[in-house]
Amino acid sequence: MLERDIYFDANGRPYFPTSFDIKKAERVMGNYMRHFSNSRFTFAEVASLLILAGTGYDGGTSAYHLCFVLGVDGGDRATLKRWKARVKP
C-alpha cells in the first residue's frame, strides 16, 4: 500500500485531515477495545464516533478506510478478540 492510497481517494480528495496521525488512532482504538472488549458497535462506528468525530471526516468512507488501514473490517462487530486477530496490510 502506498502513502497516497492511505490519504487520498481516486479523485484526489483526502480521506483524513492533513495532520491526522494513524498511530494515535490505533492507540485510541486499542484503548477502547481494552475497556469495552465486547462492544455492540462496529469498528467503523467506533472510528467515526470516537476517532473522527468533529474533524469533518466522520463519514462512512473515511471510517471504513481507517478500519482498512488499521487492519480490521469496518462492518465487523468491535470485539477485543477481533481486534487482536487483525491483519495489518
Side-chain angles (χ1 to χ4, degrees):
M1 178 174 6
L2 302 172
E3 186 173 326
R4 66 176 173 78
D5 295 334
I6 295 173
Y7 295 104
F8 297 98
D9 65 6
N11 296 323
R13 291 185 301 257
Y15 281 119
F16 308 119
T18 307
S19 61
F20 189 77
D21 186 4
I22 299 291
K23 294 291 184 186
K24 191 174 192 179
E26 187 174 14
R27 285 194 311 268
V28 169
M29 184 70 84
N31 287 337
Y32 176 83
M33 295 314 310
R34 279 192 289 282
H35 290 289
F36 302 101
S37 59
N38 199 15
S39 174
R40 296 197 185 276
F41 293 111
T42 64
F43 282 110
E45 289 173 330
V46 172
S48 179
L49 296 171
L50 188 64
I51 299 170
L52 297 171
T55 64
Y57 291 83
D58 55 353
T61 303
S62 294
Y64 274 92
H65 192 71
L66 178 59
C67 291
F68 169 74
V69 171
L70 295 177
V72 293
D73 183 11
D76 285 346
R77 199 168 131 218
T79 63
L80 185 59
K81 181 179 178 181
R82 287 191 176 126
W83 178 249
K84 287 184 177 182
R86 68 194 170 118
V87 178
K88 293 185 75 173

